[in-house]
Amino acid sequence: MSDPLPAGSTVGILGGGQLGRMLAMAAANLGYRAHIFEPGPAPAADVAHAWTQAGYDDLDALRSFAQACDVITFEFENIPADALHVIASTTPLFPDRRALETSQDRLIEKAFLRDIGLKTAPYAPVSGDIHDVLTTTGTPAILKTRRFGYDGKGQARVMDMGEAGAALAALEGAPAIAEGFVDFSTEISVIAARGQDGSVAAFDPGENVHKDGILDTTTVPAAIPASLRTDAVLIASQILTALDYVGVLGVELFVTPAGLIVNEIAPRVHNSGHWTQAGCAVDQFEQHMRAVTGWPLGDGSRHANVVMENLIGEDIARASNLASEPGVQIHLYGKAETRQGRKMGHINRVTGPA
Ligand code: AMP
């Protein structure tokens, strides 16, 4: 294994939100400088060494940014192809373009998952007659835009064929896929990492509850049989290896009577992995930084039971009350403006030893 980047090296982070902020702090803990690229505003820039405030269409700014960094990573997946080309041809990028290109497009992502033998919801690209498409997937179904969807955005539910036209119109002509509805009991996710030497480490799966399409809580341990926990970790390892991946990856899964079904993958640190800050010696942010800078992966075993709760919009007003509760760790993102549906911070509540 090659040596890790020397202390004082610069890690570029594309995206300046809360994930970038926590990655920048992890970079600092390993002796590195973080350089954020973000059109703005950038809560990550508050804790970083440098900030390039420019758009993803400013290829000169991207090139200078890349030249100033020793390695580059990202906190969000919707990086335009031209920007990626400039970055990846200048400076090492982890995870690499293949991981991004796979997860940026729901159709490519689903085909990749099926190709490596994993189960997904029944799906079909939306093209031609929508009724034929929905005959393939069955109803109820969900139409999802192939790109740029997050937190349930760019989605329209179709309960029966009669709703097909209206659901299609809601997507305003964006390329989309249809997915058959999965009758799941719970949603879980597994956060796992692969190092530059090919070693893999996974955190325990967490159980996720969403509210208004946004993650509300993640609880570890997930209340699922041990065999499913093992399956979740094996699925994540399979994906990491198939993509020859370097860094942390999030895999969202549905728990069904027929086993685990992969919903989607996120080639980055993930909101449902924030509990690791209070539950593990090495959290997902340090693990990601270790992977991209060539350190050995850390110990991801869980020493505590934790409930992570997102502070969304006005929830932030509860932060000072929560701060006095036993076992509560507070993480605020420093966002100047509170808006409905905006992730303002999160807490990790330690509920006992593992
Ligand atoms: P996504 O943006 O794909 O993660 O979808 C957001 C949420 O919609 C998921 O967390 C699920 O609660 C729900 N969902 C997405 N796809 C399906 C599906 N095929 N069947 C049932 N529920 C789904």
Side-chain angles (χ1 to χ4, degrees), residues 8-13 20-21 23-28 31-37 44-45 47-51 65 69 289:
S9 299
T10 301
V11 180
I13 302 173
R21 181 178 170 102
L23 284 171
M25 292 192 279
Y32 300 128
R33 296 168 164 176
H35 186 151
I36 307 296
F37 189 98
V47 299
H49 168 71
W51 174 18
F65 161 77
C69 297
M289 275 301 146

Side-chain angles (χ1 to χ4, degrees), residues 106 110 121-122 141-142 144 149-153 155 157 179-184 187 210 213 252 254 263-264:
R106 290 187 192 272
K110 286 271 193 298
I142 308 185
K144 301 181 178 180
Y150 67 98
D151 286 347
K153 293 189 172 59
Q155 301 194 4
R157 293 195 178 205
E179 270 186 46
F181 211 80
V182 176
D183 192 12
F184 59 83
E187 291 186 74
H210 296 85
E252 295 181 27
F254 298 130
N263 175 24
E264 61 180 5

Side-chain angles (χ1 to χ4, degrees), residues 30-68:
L30 290 177
Y32 300 128
R33 296 168 164 176
H35 186 151
I36 307 296
F37 189 98
E38 165 66 60
D46 292 345
V47 299
H49 168 71
W51 174 18
T52 298
Q53 185 171 19
Y56 285 97
D57 54 354
D58 186 342
L59 301 184
D60 288 336
L62 278 163
R63 200 168 294 110
S64 318
F65 161 77
Q67 283 163 353

